Amino acid sequence: MIVNGYSIEANADLTNADLRGADLTDADLVGAVLEGANLTDANLTRANLTDAHLKDADLTRANLTAAYLMDADLHCANLTDAILIGADLTRAHLRDANLSGSNLTDAGLASTGLYNAILIGANLTRAELTKA
C-alpha cells in the first residue's frame, strides 16, 4: 500500500515520514522504522506495529484502537490525546513518552516500560498493568 508517497509494509524504513491524517487501518507495519515520523491524526485502527521503532514519533490524536504494539519502541513518543482503546502494548517501551489525555481503556500494558512516562489525564479504565 502506498500512502503519501510512502510504501506501507512490514520492515519499511519510514524514518521522519509525514503521515499526518493518513488512513493506515489494518496496516502491516511489523518491525517498521517510524522514528521521528509524524502520525498526527492518523488512523491506525487494528494496525500491526509489533516490534516497530517509533522513537520520537508524533502520534498526537492518532487512533490506535485495537492496534498491536507488542515490543514496540515508543521511547519519547508523543501520544497526547491518542485513542488506544483495546490496544496491545505488551512489553512496549514507553520511557519518557507523553500519554497525556490518551484513552487506554481495556489496553494491554503488561510488562510495559512506563518509566518517566507522562500519564496526566490518561484514561486507564480496565487497562492491564501487571508488571508495568
Side-chain angles (χ1 to χ4, degrees):
M1 158 173 43
I2 304 293
V3 177
N4 295 353
Y6 299 100
S7 182
I8 307 301
E9 61 191 8
N11 300 306
D13 185 354
L14 298 164
T15 302
N16 297 317
D18 183 358
L19 293 164
R20 286 175 288 180
D23 185 0
L24 301 169
T25 301
D26 296 313
D28 179 3
L29 289 162
V30 173
V33 178
L34 290 140
E35 292 184 12
N38 187 342
L39 292 151
T40 301
D41 295 313
N43 185 355
L44 290 145
T45 300
R46 294 181 309 277
N48 192 344
L49 292 147
T50 300
D51 290 317
H53 304 275
L54 292 139
K55 183 179 177 189
D56 296 314
D58 189 351
L59 291 139
T60 302
R61 294 180 307 277
N63 185 349
L64 291 141
T65 299
Y68 301 97
L69 292 143
M70 289 83 68
D71 299 301
D73 181 3
L74 291 143
H75 181 105
C76 293
N78 185 356
L79 291 135
T80 301
D81 296 323
I83 301 167
L84 292 136
I85 298 170
D88 189 346
L89 292 118
T90 302
R91 295 179 310 279
H93 306 282
L94 288 155
R95 182 182 178 114
D96 298 313
N98 186 349
L99 292 135
S100 297
S102 62
N103 188 341
L104 291 146
T105 300
D106 295 318
L109 295 156
S111 300
T112 297
L114 292 166
Y115 184 78
N116 266 356
I118 301 168
L119 293 158
I120 297 169
N123 183 346
L124 294 159
T125 303
R126 292 183 308 276
E128 171 58 55
L129 294 162
T130 305
K131 295 184 181 178

